[in-house]
Amino acid sequence: MPDYGLPLQFGAFITPTNSPPQAAVARAQLVEQLGYDLVTFQDHPYQPTFHDTWTLMTWVAASTERIHIAPNVLNLPLRPPAVVARAAASLDLLSDGRFDLGLGAGGFWDAIESMGGRRLTPGQGVDALSEAIDIIRGIWNAGERGGLRMPGEYYSVAGAKRGPAPAHDIPIWIGALKPRMLRLTGEKADGWLPSLAYLAPGEFAAGNRAIDDAATTVGRDPREIRRLVNIGGSFGRPGGFLNGPPSQWIDELLPYVIEDGVGTFILASDDSSTLQQFAEDVMPGLREAVDSARAASGVTAIVPRRTSAIALRRDGIDYDNIPTSLATTAVEPGDLGFHRVKSTYMRGGSPGLVLRPTTTAQVVDALAFARLQPVPLAIRSAGHGISGRSTNDGGIVIDLGAMNAIEVIDQISRRVRLEPGARWMDVAAALEPHGWALSSGDYGGVGVGGLATAGGIGWLAREHGLTIDHLRAATIVLADGSVVRASEEENPDLFWAIRGAGANFGIVVSFEFEVDEVGTVGWAQLAFDANDTAGFLERWGATVESAPRDVTSFVILAPPRGGQLIATVMAMVDSADPDTIIQRLQPFAEIAPLLDQSVQLATYAQVMANAQGGDHNGQGDPMMRSGLLDHITPEFAESAARFITRGETFFFQIRSVGGAVSDVASDATAYGHRSANFSVAAVGSHPQSFEAGWASLYEHYSGLYLSFETDQHPDRLQDAFPPQTLERLRALKARFDPDNVFRDNFNIRESEAH
Ligand SMILES: Cc1cc2nc3c(=O)[nH]c(=O)nc-3n(C[C@H](O)[C@H](O)[C@H](O)COP(=O)(O)OP(=O)(O)OC[C@H]3O[C@@H](n4cnc5c(N)ncnc54)[C@H](O)[C@@H]3O)c2cc1C
């Protein structure tokens, strides 16, 4: 029987005694200190001298830091599998991926029955275990939609909620001895966990054969199934198998690795000196012996990927040649964590590979690899793209989420360095102690990378301008893999282009901003009766335009409900003085009947702390349109009112820009429509009526903001960029990205063809 080549691991098998209560925990801590990989506990829930194994494992997990923990093996008949699944996932999450699951079909049936469990024959026990494995894996499969339904003979679930997904791909090891259990192990398990004491000579090899045959029959690679074995012995005078000096142990265990493919030895002992001697004198020696034997026979240690995962790979991606620097963090469709990275906040996706670099060098590697694959390429920072498609179908995503550093580089000039994966709420929180803020957007979950390459229309826009107006330098990985710095002095053309059209030019891996002094602000949310919708919009627009620059306001309208159309106005007043705040808000309060109001003193960071963490699970494609507007004229207000009241849009928002945004010359950055006082965005769900309604507003706009636009028609580029800006961008695109590598987000090059 071959050596399966799995990395060698060592575990301990500790009696879960409850007398004294902490004894097993202390042994587990010792085993961790001694360098074991795994600590395991038998599970006999009917045994009054033992702790309940789950409770003990939880305590051990909380009392250790590194070691993996597993039941050896779990008594399934007394534990419903759906509950086992959730308990295992919880423990795995709490212990940061340190829980592994040994499962047994049962035994000791009198005792099990005495505790209310169901007595099963050995054959029934195997079938029950098989059903249980399906249920456990089904619950862990949090990415699958819909409840879990499995009507089994022994275990049934009827629409059980899935999740949580464990922190790591919890392996299921089966304590199998008899042929049907061995077959099940080959068909479904990730490991075989017998006790050597129960196996007659030659039975290990026979067991391996049975498992391998079963695995091969169902199309699995036998190497997916780790061979673990419980062993026992002593370090006294020579006296039989594993009774003698460490050198004898090494000699006797080596053939189990080389000939029988054992990957994990689990020493059953509660004796600290035995545990210590095994750790000090057997583990390193056996590792060395295995390394030399493997070197001599040409076997390399591997961690095989599940056959079922390989089957989910997408065409056109050379999975075997993912750069080494990225291989361990890359996620592909068969990986447990895939559901966490496949979609974005707004969009559903099913990429073939998500690469997750943590350094600029890794971004270069990721890009070089991606360029060789004939599939779509998406760049993701924090995954809140509305226009940007930071996920795709069958392509590669370069996910910069782990590059999220925020650091102050110069206190005097208020210079900060931000990495693309940082979220704006975290940036705001980090700047607050310095009395600083950087105008970003209205939602704290949005990422630096997407927003700061497009514009950044936020709560301080009228006073401090767009986010890109604060950019002083950036580091960019270009399409050819070179890493360049761009600023007014270095690569000024590129610096100009990435402030509004960044997505077309490279991957920005670092941004340097000059931030503003911003202390306590006034933060208002006002609800109005806006049944006179056109009049309301006109008055709100005029009030904004005549307000001092320290006021920035947004308004949201939705179709009428119960005969009433409510408008929500939000405003940030950059002042800590309540009188000034009230003075600034008074004109707003007079534009229509006020239904509700909330005005608070807050910090910018408190206003931005409005997003949760967690995974993105967007579905479908959003439909959003954007327009930049110089003034809210009566004609625009009338058309907008019709659009809203007819229900052609379910979310209609106008943000104030103007002020400091308009101070910047229109040719100073790629974001060029600087005359606008307002940015309008609408979201729809019925394409025909939405498009028709939006078309009635189109003539009023002077441009659009790409971050709020989803229409991929090439004409949108003409709307987004003034003609000379677009011409310059096209020339620069040809220079910096001649092969059109960055093409997934309003492709400047592609539009030329239309
Ligand atoms: C709830 C919500 C609220 C929003 N509020 C505002 C707002 O108040 N003001 C505002 O201006 N915008 C706002 N936006 C729009 C937002 O600015 C853009 O969607 C932005 O692209 C999101 O950035 P991200 O990094 O989270 O997105 P991602 O989805 O990660 O990226 C979006 C696109 O940006 C490009 N990109 C991302 N990272 C990089 C990089 N490092 N280098 C080069 N290109 C890159 C890619 O083309 C990508 O497809 C909001 C979006 C949402 C969903």
mmCIF file with all atom_site columns, all heavy atoms in Angstrom, residues 27-37 66 271-280 283:
data_model
loop_
_atom_site.group_PDB
_atom_site.id
_atom_site.type_symbol
_atom_site.label_atom_id
_atom_site.label_alt_id
_atom_site.label_comp_id
_atom_site.label_asym_id
_atom_site.label_entity_id
_atom_site.label_seq_id
_atom_site.pdbx_PDB_ins_code
_atom_site.Cartn_x
_atom_site.Cartn_y
_atom_site.Cartn_z
_atom_site.occupancy
_atom_site.B_iso_or_equiv
_atom_site.pdbx_formal_charge
_atom_site.auth_seq_id
_atom_site.auth_comp_id
_atom_site.auth_asym_id
_atom_site.auth_atom_id
_atom_site.pdbx_PDB_model_num
ATOM 1   N N   . ARG A 1 27  ? -4.256 18.573 30.788 1.00 0.00 ? 27  ARG A N   1
ATOM 2   C CA  . ARG A 1 27  ? -3.496 17.679 29.882 1.00 0.00 ? 27  ARG A CA  1
ATOM 3   C C   . ARG A 1 27  ? -3.525 18.221 28.453 1.00 0.00 ? 27  ARG A C   1
ATOM 4   O O   . ARG A 1 27  ? -2.527 18.159 27.733 1.00 0.00 ? 27  ARG A O   1
ATOM 5   C CB  . ARG A 1 27  ? -4.081 16.269 29.924 1.00 0.00 ? 27  ARG A CB  1
ATOM 6   C CG  . ARG A 1 27  ? -3.662 15.552 31.178 1.00 0.00 ? 27  ARG A CG  1
ATOM 7   C CD  . ARG A 1 27  ? -3.998 14.075 31.211 1.00 0.00 ? 27  ARG A CD  1
ATOM 8   N NE  . ARG A 1 27  ? -3.766 13.633 32.585 1.00 0.00 ? 27  ARG A NE  1
ATOM 9   C CZ  . ARG A 1 27  ? -4.703 13.217 33.423 1.00 0.00 ? 27  ARG A CZ  1
ATOM 10  N NH1 . ARG A 1 27  ? -5.961 13.099 33.023 1.00 0.00 ? 27  ARG A NH1 1
ATOM 11  N NH2 . ARG A 1 27  ? -4.398 12.886 34.658 1.00 0.00 ? 27  ARG A NH2 1
ATOM 12  N N   . ALA A 1 28  ? -4.671 18.736 28.068 1.00 0.00 ? 28  ALA A N   1
ATOM 13  C CA  . ALA A 1 28  ? -4.762 19.296 26.706 1.00 0.00 ? 28  ALA A CA  1
ATOM 14  C C   . ALA A 1 28  ? -3.792 20.468 26.555 1.00 0.00 ? 28  ALA A C   1
ATOM 15  O O   . ALA A 1 28  ? -3.114 20.616 25.529 1.00 0.00 ? 28  ALA A O   1
ATOM 16  C CB  . ALA A 1 28  ? -6.187 19.751 26.422 1.00 0.00 ? 28  ALA A CB  1
ATOM 17  N N   . GLN A 1 29  ? -3.681 21.289 27.609 1.00 0.00 ? 29  GLN A N   1
ATOM 18  C CA  . GLN A 1 29  ? -2.753 22.429 27.546 1.00 0.00 ? 29  GLN A CA  1
ATOM 19  C C   . GLN A 1 29  ? -1.309 21.933 27.459 1.00 0.00 ? 29  GLN A C   1
ATOM 20  O O   . GLN A 1 29  ? -0.498 22.464 26.704 1.00 0.00 ? 29  GLN A O   1
ATOM 21  C CB  . GLN A 1 29  ? -2.937 23.330 28.764 1.00 0.00 ? 29  GLN A CB  1
ATOM 22  C CG  . GLN A 1 29  ? -4.256 24.091 28.719 1.00 0.00 ? 29  GLN A CG  1
ATOM 23  C CD  . GLN A 1 29  ? -4.539 24.840 30.009 1.00 0.00 ? 29  GLN A CD  1
ATOM 24  O OE1 . GLN A 1 29  ? -4.351 24.288 31.096 1.00 0.00 ? 29  GLN A OE1 1
ATOM 25  N NE2 . GLN A 1 29  ? -5.008 26.071 29.901 1.00 0.00 ? 29  GLN A NE2 1
ATOM 26  N N   . LEU A 1 30  ? -1.024 20.872 28.229 1.00 0.00 ? 30  LEU A N   1
ATOM 27  C CA  . LEU A 1 30  ? 0.325  20.307 28.187 1.00 0.00 ? 30  LEU A CA  1
ATOM 28  C C   . LEU A 1 30  ? 0.649  19.804 26.777 1.00 0.00 ? 30  LEU A C   1
ATOM 29  O O   . LEU A 1 30  ? 1.724  20.065 26.225 1.00 0.00 ? 30  LEU A O   1
ATOM 30  C CB  . LEU A 1 30  ? 0.431  19.154 29.208 1.00 0.00 ? 30  LEU A CB  1
ATOM 31  C CG  . LEU A 1 30  ? 1.721  18.345 29.125 1.00 0.00 ? 30  LEU A CG  1
ATOM 32  C CD1 . LEU A 1 30  ? 2.908  19.175 29.644 1.00 0.00 ? 30  LEU A CD1 1
ATOM 33  C CD2 . LEU A 1 30  ? 1.623  17.030 29.901 1.00 0.00 ? 30  LEU A CD2 1
ATOM 34  N N   . VAL A 1 31  ? -0.321 19.103 26.213 1.00 0.00 ? 31  VAL A N   1
ATOM 35  C CA  . VAL A 1 31  ? -0.127 18.527 24.882 1.00 0.00 ? 31  VAL A CA  1
ATOM 36  C C   . VAL A 1 31  ? 0.126  19.644 23.862 1.00 0.00 ? 31  VAL A C   1
ATOM 37  O O   . VAL A 1 31  ? 0.971  19.510 22.972 1.00 0.00 ? 31  VAL A O   1
ATOM 38  C CB  . VAL A 1 31  ? -1.385 17.672 24.543 1.00 0.00 ? 31  VAL A CB  1
ATOM 39  C CG1 . VAL A 1 31  ? -1.515 17.438 23.072 1.00 0.00 ? 31  VAL A CG1 1
ATOM 40  C CG2 . VAL A 1 31  ? -1.345 16.362 25.309 1.00 0.00 ? 31  VAL A CG2 1
ATOM 41  N N   . GLU A 1 32  ? -0.571 20.748 24.019 1.00 0.00 ? 32  GLU A N   1
ATOM 42  C CA  . GLU A 1 32  ? -0.329 21.876 23.110 1.00 0.00 ? 32  GLU A CA  1
ATOM 43  C C   . GLU A 1 32  ? 1.092  22.406 23.288 1.00 0.00 ? 32  GLU A C   1
ATOM 44  O O   . GLU A 1 32  ? 1.810  22.632 22.311 1.00 0.00 ? 32  GLU A O   1
ATOM 45  C CB  . GLU A 1 32  ? -1.341 22.994 23.365 1.00 0.00 ? 32  GLU A CB  1
ATOM 46  C CG  . GLU A 1 32  ? -1.082 24.209 22.476 1.00 0.00 ? 32  GLU A CG  1
ATOM 47  C CD  . GLU A 1 32  ? -2.140 25.294 22.596 1.00 0.00 ? 32  GLU A CD  1
ATOM 48  O OE1 . GLU A 1 32  ? -2.250 25.910 23.680 1.00 0.00 ? 32  GLU A OE1 1
ATOM 49  O OE2 . GLU A 1 32  ? -2.855 25.514 21.620 1.00 0.00 ? 32  GLU A OE2 1
ATOM 50  N N   . GLN A 1 33  ? 1.484  22.574 24.573 1.00 0.00 ? 33  GLN A N   1
ATOM 51  C CA  . GLN A 1 33  ? 2.850  23.080 24.832 1.00 0.00 ? 33  GLN A CA  1
ATOM 52  C C   . GLN A 1 33  ? 3.905  22.144 24.262 1.00 0.00 ? 33  GLN A C   1
ATOM 53  O O   . GLN A 1 33  ? 4.965  22.566 23.824 1.00 0.00 ? 33  GLN A O   1
ATOM 54  C CB  . GLN A 1 33  ? 3.100  23.169 26.331 1.00 0.00 ? 33  GLN A CB  1
ATOM 55  C CG  . GLN A 1 33  ? 2.511  24.400 26.987 1.00 0.00 ? 33  GLN A CG  1
ATOM 56  C CD  . GLN A 1 33  ? 2.403  24.207 28.502 1.00 0.00 ? 33  GLN A CD  1
ATOM 57  O OE1 . GLN A 1 33  ? 3.080  23.358 29.087 1.00 0.00 ? 33  GLN A OE1 1
ATOM 58  N NE2 . GLN A 1 33  ? 1.520  24.968 29.111 1.00 0.00 ? 33  GLN A NE2 1
ATOM 59  N N   . LEU A 1 34  ? 3.617  20.854 24.287 1.00 0.00 ? 34  LEU A N   1
ATOM 60  C CA  . LEU A 1 34  ? 4.604  19.878 23.820 1.00 0.00 ? 34  LEU A CA  1
ATOM 61  C C   . LEU A 1 34  ? 4.709  19.828 22.295 1.00 0.00 ? 34  LEU A C   1
ATOM 62  O O   . LEU A 1 34  ? 5.548  19.136 21.750 1.00 0.00 ? 34  LEU A O   1
ATOM 63  C CB  . LEU A 1 34  ? 4.252  18.481 24.357 1.00 0.00 ? 34  LEU A CB  1
ATOM 64  C CG  . LEU A 1 34  ? 4.457  18.291 25.872 1.00 0.00 ? 34  LEU A CG  1
ATOM 65  C CD1 . LEU A 1 34  ? 3.861  16.955 26.331 1.00 0.00 ? 34  LEU A CD1 1
ATOM 66  C CD2 . LEU A 1 34  ? 5.951  18.355 26.223 1.00 0.00 ? 34  LEU A CD2 1
ATOM 67  N N   . GLY A 1 35  ? 3.824  20.543 21.611 1.00 0.00 ? 35  GLY A N   1
ATOM 68  C CA  . GLY A 1 35  ? 3.943  20.637 20.148 1.00 0.00 ? 35  GLY A CA  1
ATOM 69  C C   . GLY A 1 35  ? 3.072  19.672 19.371 1.00 0.00 ? 35  GLY A C   1
ATOM 70  O O   . GLY A 1 35  ? 3.238  19.531 18.153 1.00 0.00 ? 35  GLY A O   1
ATOM 71  N N   . TYR A 1 36  ? 2.150  18.998 20.035 1.00 0.00 ? 36  TYR A N   1
ATOM 72  C CA  . TYR A 1 36  ? 1.232  18.130 19.282 1.00 0.00 ? 36  TYR A CA  1
ATOM 73  C C   . TYR A 1 36  ? 0.345  18.991 18.379 1.00 0.00 ? 36  TYR A C   1
ATOM 74  O O   . TYR A 1 36  ? 0.103  20.175 18.657 1.00 0.00 ? 36  TYR A O   1
ATOM 75  C CB  . TYR A 1 36  ? 0.325  17.355 20.246 1.00 0.00 ? 36  TYR A CB  1
ATOM 76  C CG  . TYR A 1 36  ? 0.994  16.207 20.988 1.00 0.00 ? 36  TYR A CG  1
ATOM 77  C CD1 . TYR A 1 36  ? 1.879  16.448 22.028 1.00 0.00 ? 36  TYR A CD1 1
ATOM 78  C CD2 . TYR A 1 36  ? 0.705  14.883 20.647 1.00 0.00 ? 36  TYR A CD2 1
ATOM 79  C CE1 . TYR A 1 36  ? 2.471  15.413 22.727 1.00 0.00 ? 36  TYR A CE1 1
ATOM 80  C CE2 . TYR A 1 36  ? 1.291  13.830 21.342 1.00 0.00 ? 36  TYR A CE2 1
ATOM 81  C CZ  . TYR A 1 36  ? 2.178  14.099 22.386 1.00 0.00 ? 36  TYR A CZ  1
ATOM 82  O OH  . TYR A 1 36  ? 2.753  13.057 23.058 1.00 0.00 ? 36  TYR A OH  1
ATOM 83  N N   . ASP A 1 37  ? -0.184 18.370 17.328 1.00 0.00 ? 37  ASP A N   1
ATOM 84  C CA  . ASP A 1 37  ? -1.067 19.086 16.405 1.00 0.00 ? 37  ASP A CA  1
ATOM 85  C C   . ASP A 1 37  ? -2.526 18.999 16.832 1.00 0.00 ? 37  ASP A C   1
ATOM 86  O O   . ASP A 1 37  ? -3.339 19.828 16.438 1.00 0.00 ? 37  ASP A O   1
ATOM 87  C CB  . ASP A 1 37  ? -0.966 18.471 14.995 1.00 0.00 ? 37  ASP A CB  1
ATOM 88  C CG  . ASP A 1 37  ? 0.468  18.451 14.500 1.00 0.00 ? 37  ASP A CG  1
ATOM 89  O OD1 . ASP A 1 37  ? 0.997  19.539 14.256 1.00 0.00 ? 37  ASP A OD1 1
ATOM 90  O OD2 . ASP A 1 37  ? 1.050  17.355 14.391 1.00 0.00 ? 37  ASP A OD2 1
ATOM 91  N N   . ARG A 1 66  ? -3.512 27.056 19.842 1.00 0.00 ? 66  ARG A N   1
ATOM 92  C CA  . ARG A 1 66  ? -3.045 26.616 18.540 1.00 0.00 ? 66  ARG A CA  1
ATOM 93  C C   . ARG A 1 66  ? -3.549 25.243 18.139 1.00 0.00 ? 66  ARG A C   1
ATOM 94  O O   . ARG A 1 66  ? -3.819 24.966 16.972 1.00 0.00 ? 66  ARG A O   1
ATOM 95  C CB  . ARG A 1 66  ? -1.492 26.611 18.585 1.00 0.00 ? 66  ARG A CB  1
ATOM 96  C CG  . ARG A 1 66  ? -0.800 26.103 17.383 1.00 0.00 ? 66  ARG A CG  1
ATOM 97  C CD  . ARG A 1 66  ? 0.668  25.767 17.644 1.00 0.00 ? 66  ARG A CD  1
ATOM 98  N NE  . ARG A 1 66  ? 0.895  24.836 18.734 1.00 0.00 ? 66  ARG A NE  1
ATOM 99  C CZ  . ARG A 1 66  ? 0.735  23.509 18.660 1.00 0.00 ? 66  ARG A CZ  1
ATOM 100 N NH1 . ARG A 1 66  ? 0.347  22.947 17.531 1.00 0.00 ? 66  ARG A NH1 1
ATOM 101 N NH2 . ARG A 1 66  ? 0.939  22.733 19.708 1.00 0.00 ? 66  ARG A NH2 1
ATOM 102 N N   . ASP A 1 271 ? -0.668 10.053 30.851 1.00 0.00 ? 271 ASP A N   1
ATOM 103 C CA  . ASP A 1 271 ? 0.546  10.158 31.654 1.00 0.00 ? 271 ASP A CA  1
ATOM 104 C C   . ASP A 1 271 ? 1.465  11.239 31.065 1.00 0.00 ? 271 ASP A C   1
ATOM 105 O O   . ASP A 1 271 ? 1.912  11.139 29.918 1.00 0.00 ? 271 ASP A O   1
ATOM 106 C CB  . ASP A 1 271 ? 1.247  8.791  31.658 1.00 0.00 ? 271 ASP A CB  1
ATOM 107 C CG  . ASP A 1 271 ? 2.572  8.867  32.366 1.00 0.00 ? 271 ASP A CG  1
ATOM 108 O OD1 . ASP A 1 271 ? 2.605  9.378  33.503 1.00 0.00 ? 271 ASP A OD1 1
ATOM 109 O OD2 . ASP A 1 271 ? 3.594  8.458  31.774 1.00 0.00 ? 271 ASP A OD2 1
ATOM 110 N N   . SER A 1 272 ? 1.728  12.271 31.877 1.00 0.00 ? 272 SER A N   1
ATOM 111 C CA  . SER A 1 272 ? 2.463  13.402 31.297 1.00 0.00 ? 272 SER A CA  1
ATOM 112 C C   . SER A 1 272 ? 3.858  13.025 30.832 1.00 0.00 ? 272 SER A C   1
ATOM 113 O O   . SER A 1 272 ? 4.334  13.530 29.814 1.00 0.00 ? 272 SER A O   1
ATOM 114 C CB  . SER A 1 272 ? 2.553  14.593 32.244 1.00 0.00 ? 272 SER A CB  1
ATOM 115 O OG  . SER A 1 272 ? 2.184  14.280 33.511 1.00 0.00 ? 272 SER A OG  1
ATOM 116 N N   . SER A 1 273 ? 4.535  12.114 31.543 1.00 0.00 ? 273 SER A N   1
ATOM 117 C CA  . SER A 1 273 ? 5.902  11.828 31.088 1.00 0.00 ? 273 SER A CA  1
ATOM 118 C C   . SER A 1 273 ? 5.873  11.023 29.782 1.00 0.00 ? 273 SER A C   1
ATOM 119 O O   . SER A 1 273 ? 6.726  11.222 28.906 1.00 0.00 ? 273 SER A O   1
ATOM 120 C CB  . SER A 1 273 ? 6.718  11.132 32.172 1.00 0.00 ? 273 SER A CB  1
ATOM 121 O OG  . SER A 1 273 ? 6.133  9.910  32.501 1.00 0.00 ? 273 SER A OG  1
ATOM 122 N N   . THR A 1 274 ? 4.873  10.179 29.615 1.00 0.00 ? 274 THR A N   1
ATOM 123 C CA  . THR A 1 274 ? 4.769  9.450  28.337 1.00 0.00 ? 274 THR A CA  1
ATOM 124 C C   . THR A 1 274 ? 4.462  10.432 27.203 1.00 0.00 ? 274 THR A C   1
ATOM 125 O O   . THR A 1 274 ? 5.072  10.390 26.124 1.00 0.00 ? 274 THR A O   1
ATOM 126 C CB  . THR A 1 274 ? 3.639  8.382  28.415 1.00 0.00 ? 274 THR A CB  1
ATOM 127 O OG1 . THR A 1 274 ? 3.905  7.543  29.519 1.00 0.00 ? 274 THR A OG1 1
ATOM 128 C CG2 . THR A 1 274 ? 3.553  7.574  27.144 1.00 0.00 ? 274 THR A CG2 1
ATOM 129 N N   . LEU A 1 275 ? 3.525  11.343 27.481 1.00 0.00 ? 275 LEU A N   1
ATOM 130 C CA  . LEU A 1 275 ? 3.177  12.333 26.450 1.00 0.00 ? 275 LEU A CA  1
ATOM 131 C C   . LEU A 1 275 ? 4.402  13.175 26.097 1.00 0.00 ? 275 LEU A C   1
ATOM 132 O O   . LEU A 1 275 ? 4.662  13.477 24.935 1.00 0.00 ? 275 LEU A O   1
ATOM 133 C CB  . LEU A 1 275 ? 2.046  13.252 26.953 1.00 0.00 ? 275 LEU A CB  1
ATOM 134 C CG  . LEU A 1 275 ? 0.657  12.595 27.059 1.00 0.00 ? 275 LEU A CG  1
ATOM 135 C CD1 . LEU A 1 275 ? -0.288 13.445 27.908 1.00 0.00 ? 275 LEU A CD1 1
ATOM 136 C CD2 . LEU A 1 275 ? 0.069  12.342 25.686 1.00 0.00 ? 275 LEU A CD2 1
ATOM 137 N N   . GLN A 1 276 ? 5.186  13.503 27.137 1.00 0.00 ? 276 GLN A N   1
ATOM 138 C CA  . GLN A 1 276 ? 6.362  14.341 26.902 1.00 0.00 ? 276 GLN A CA  1
ATOM 139 C C   . GLN A 1 276 ? 7.438  13.586 26.119 1.00 0.00 ? 276 GLN A C   1
ATOM 140 O O   . GLN A 1 276 ? 8.020  14.097 25.161 1.00 0.00 ? 276 GLN A O   1
ATOM 141 C CB  . GLN A 1 276 ? 6.914  14.808 28.246 1.00 0.00 ? 276 GLN A CB  1
ATOM 142 C CG  . GLN A 1 276 ? 8.112  15.719 28.081 1.00 0.00 ? 276 GLN A CG  1
ATOM 143 C CD  . GLN A 1 276 ? 8.502  16.409 29.381 1.00 0.00 ? 276 GLN A CD  1
ATOM 144 O OE1 . GLN A 1 276 ? 7.803  16.287 30.389 1.00 0.00 ? 276 GLN A OE1 1
ATOM 145 N NE2 . GLN A 1 276 ? 9.601  17.114 29.353 1.00 0.00 ? 276 GLN A NE2 1
ATOM 146 N N   . GLN A 1 277 ? 7.685  12.350 26.525 1.00 0.00 ? 277 GLN A N   1
ATOM 147 C CA  . GLN A 1 277 ? 8.752  11.605 25.842 1.00 0.00 ? 277 GLN A CA  1
ATOM 148 C C   . GLN A 1 277 ? 8.384  11.349 24.379 1.00 0.00 ? 277 GLN A C   1
ATOM 149 O O   . GLN A 1 277 ? 9.239  11.415 23.482 1.00 0.00 ? 277 GLN A O   1
ATOM 150 C CB  . GLN A 1 277 ? 9.011  10.278 26.565 1.00 0.00 ? 277 GLN A CB  1
ATOM 151 C CG  . GLN A 1 277 ? 10.323 9.665  26.091 1.00 0.00 ? 277 GLN A CG  1
ATOM 152 C CD  . GLN A 1 277 ? 10.921 8.691  27.085 1.00 0.00 ? 277 GLN A CD  1
ATOM 153 O OE1 . GLN A 1 277 ? 10.299 8.330  28.086 1.00 0.00 ? 277 GLN A OE1 1
ATOM 154 N NE2 . GLN A 1 277 ? 12.135 8.247  26.805 1.00 0.00 ? 277 GLN A NE2 1
ATOM 155 N N   . PHE A 1 278 ? 7.102  11.076 24.142 1.00 0.00 ? 278 PHE A N   1
ATOM 156 C CA  . PHE A 1 278 ? 6.671  10.870 22.754 1.00 0.00 ? 278 PHE A CA  1
ATOM 157 C C   . PHE A 1 278 ? 6.940  12.153 21.944 1.00 0.00 ? 278 PHE A C   1
ATOM 158 O O   . PHE A 1 278 ? 7.460  12.094 20.827 1.00 0.00 ? 278 PHE A O   1
ATOM 159 C CB  . PHE A 1 278 ? 5.177  10.516 22.730 1.00 0.00 ? 278 PHE A CB  1
ATOM 160 C CG  . PHE A 1 278 ? 4.650  10.203 21.363 1.00 0.00 ? 278 PHE A CG  1
ATOM 161 C CD1 . PHE A 1 278 ? 4.859  8.959  20.769 1.00 0.00 ? 278 PHE A CD1 1
ATOM 162 C CD2 . PHE A 1 278 ? 3.930  11.153 20.644 1.00 0.00 ? 278 PHE A CD2 1
ATOM 163 C CE1 . PHE A 1 278 ? 4.370  8.672  19.494 1.00 0.00 ? 278 PHE A CE1 1
ATOM 164 C CE2 . PHE A 1 278 ? 3.436  10.879 19.371 1.00 0.00 ? 278 PHE A CE2 1
ATOM 165 C CZ  . PHE A 1 278 ? 3.657  9.630  18.803 1.00 0.00 ? 278 PHE A CZ  1
ATOM 166 N N   . ALA A 1 279 ? 6.585  13.301 22.558 1.00 0.00 ? 279 ALA A N   1
ATOM 167 C CA  . ALA A 1 279 ? 6.754  14.574 21.837 1.00 0.00 ? 279 ALA A CA  1
ATOM 168 C C   . ALA A 1 279 ? 8.226  14.875 21.582 1.00 0.00 ? 279 ALA A C   1
ATOM 169 O O   . ALA A 1 279 ? 8.604  15.355 20.509 1.00 0.00 ? 279 ALA A O   1
ATOM 170 C CB  . ALA A 1 279 ? 6.120  15.705 22.630 1.00 0.00 ? 279 ALA A CB  1
ATOM 171 N N   . GLU A 1 280 ? 9.070  14.565 22.577 1.00 0.00 ? 280 GLU A N   1
ATOM 172 C CA  . GLU A 1 280 ? 10.470 14.974 22.451 1.00 0.00 ? 280 GLU A CA  1
ATOM 173 C C   . GLU A 1 280 ? 11.315 13.964 21.688 1.00 0.00 ? 280 GLU A C   1
ATOM 174 O O   . GLU A 1 280 ? 12.224 14.328 20.952 1.00 0.00 ? 280 GLU A O   1
ATOM 175 C CB  . GLU A 1 280 ? 11.060 15.206 23.851 1.00 0.00 ? 280 GLU A CB  1
ATOM 176 C CG  . GLU A 1 280 ? 10.497 16.481 24.458 1.00 0.00 ? 280 GLU A CG  1
ATOM 177 C CD  . GLU A 1 280 ? 10.896 16.679 25.906 1.00 0.00 ? 280 GLU A CD  1
ATOM 178 O OE1 . GLU A 1 280 ? 11.606 15.819 26.468 1.00 0.00 ? 280 GLU A OE1 1
ATOM 179 O OE2 . GLU A 1 280 ? 10.485 17.712 26.482 1.00 0.00 ? 280 GLU A OE2 1
ATOM 180 N N   . MET A 1 283 ? 8.318  12.078 18.068 1.00 0.00 ? 283 MET A N   1
ATOM 181 C CA  . MET A 1 283 ? 7.777  12.911 16.975 1.00 0.00 ? 283 MET A CA  1
ATOM 182 C C   . MET A 1 283 ? 8.875  13.435 16.039 1.00 0.00 ? 283 MET A C   1
ATOM 183 O O   . MET A 1 283 ? 8.791  13.228 14.818 1.00 0.00 ? 283 MET A O   1
ATOM 184 C CB  . MET A 1 283 ? 6.929  14.055 17.560 1.00 0.00 ? 283 MET A CB  1
ATOM 185 C CG  . MET A 1 283 ? 5.525  13.576 17.890 1.00 0.00 ? 283 MET A CG  1
ATOM 186 S SD  . MET A 1 283 ? 4.534  14.552 19.085 1.00 0.00 ? 283 MET A SD  1
ATOM 187 C CE  . MET A 1 283 ? 4.851  16.207 18.679 1.00 0.00 ? 283 MET A CE  1
#
